Amino acid sequence: MFRSITVSAIKRLTPQSVAISFTIPDELREEFSYLPGQYITLKADVNGQKANRAYSLCSSPYSEEALTIGVKQTDNGLVSTYLNNELSVGDSIEIMKPMGNFIVNAQQDYARRIVLIGGGSGITPLLSIAKSILKKEPQSTITLIYGNRDVHSIMFHEELNELVKRYPAFSMTNVLEEGEVQYKGRLDNAMLSSLLEPFVSDEHAEFYICGPSPVMANAESVLEHHKVAKERIHREFFTAPLSVDEESGIAPETSEKNISVKLYGRSFEITVNPGETILDAGIRQQLDPPYACQIAACCTCRAKLQSGKVHMDSREALTDDEIEEGYILTCQAHPMTDDVFVDYDG
Ligand code: FES
C-alpha cells in the first residue's frame, strides 16, 4: 500500500543526481523497516501523469534515521527529471514499503570479505550494504569496485571517501573512462578480471553486483570463469538483463482469459487480453496494482498464484524459494488456464 511521506532533505550529488531523504512517521516505522540493499517504490505525479519507479535505498537501517535514495537523471526520464529538478523539501510523495531480495544479512560475529561491483547509480544499494557491514560486522572487510564516466559523475563521492578514511576495512577502486586515473577504462572483462583476481579464490567472499547490464554481464562472466559458487553472487538489475534466463522464453500463444484477483483486501474479476500481462490488465481495468520497473527486475508486482497456471516471460527478481512457494511477477505473467487466481495480498 502506498503511503504519503514527506521529503526531509535533498542533497545534490553530481550535476545529474540527487540524494532524497524521507522522514518516516513513528506509526509507519515498522512497516518501513528494511534490510540493506532493498528498494522503495515511488508513485510520482508529474503534471498529471502518474508513474511508478523503484529506487534502491542508499541509507543504512543501522545508522540512519531517514530513508534515503539516490536518483540519477536519465535522458527523457519523466520521474528522474522531476525528482532531480522539481521536488522540494516539505513535499509529500507516495511511497510503498521497502522490498527486494538483493540483501545482506549482517551478523556481528561474521568475518567475511564483501566485494561490491557497481556502475553509475548502481552504487545506491551497494552503499547501504557497505555502511551496514561496516557498522555491524567489525571483522569483515569490504572492497568496492566502482565504474563511472569521469570524476564529476561519481555519486556519493564525498561520502565514499569519508568511509575510506574512517574504516581501514573499507577500500575503493574507482574506474573512470576519462581523466588521469590509475584505472582508466570501463568495467569490461579485462578490467574486472584483473581487479577481481585477488578475491575469486577466497571462499569467504560474497560478491554484490549492481549497475548497467554490460557491467553485470561482465562481472558475472568473470566470476563464473573462476567457478565462484552461484550462491555467493548477488545481482540487482536496474535495466533488463542482456540475456534471457533459463526459465524464461518466448511467451506461448495466449487467448483471452477471465481471472480472479485479490488486492488490498478486495476481490475482482478481470479480463486479460491475448498477449497482455496480468499487471497490464489490472492497470487497464483501474485496479491500481503495485508495480515499478515492469522488466522483472524489482519484484514490486509480486503476487501469489493461488490457482491455475501462468507463463512468465522472465522471473529474474524472484528467488528460487519464492517460485517454489507459488509467487509470480504479474508484470511478466500471462494466464494459461481459466482458473487463475492471483493474490497480491498473499
Ligand atoms: S514491476 Fe518490477 S518486477 Fe514487475
Side-chain angles (χ1 to χ4, degrees), residues 39 54 279 290-302 317 329-332:
Y39 66 87
L279 175 70
Y291 71 94
C293 70
Q294 295 184 265
I295 55 167
C298 75
C299 216
T300 308
C301 66
R302 192 188 82 154
L329 298 175
T330 56
C331 74
Q332 302 295 314

Side-chain angles (χ1 to χ4, degrees), residues 33-39 56-57 61-62 98-106 112 114 116 125-126 128-129 132-133 206-209 231-236 319 322:
S33 63
Y34 65 101
L35 288 170
Q38 288 193 305
Y39 66 87
S56 291
L57 292 159
Y62 309 125
M99 300 172 79
N101 296 320
F102 184 70
I103 51 172
V104 70
N105 178 17
R112 54 182 167 170
I114 302 277
L116 308 172
L126 304 180
S128 174
I129 289 171
S132 302
I133 294 290
E206 299 272 333
F207 299 85
Y208 287 80
I209 316 167
E231 313 81 72
R232 294 199 283 120
I233 305 173
H234 312 271
R235 310 168 301 163
E236 178 76 315
T319 63
E322 286 173 311

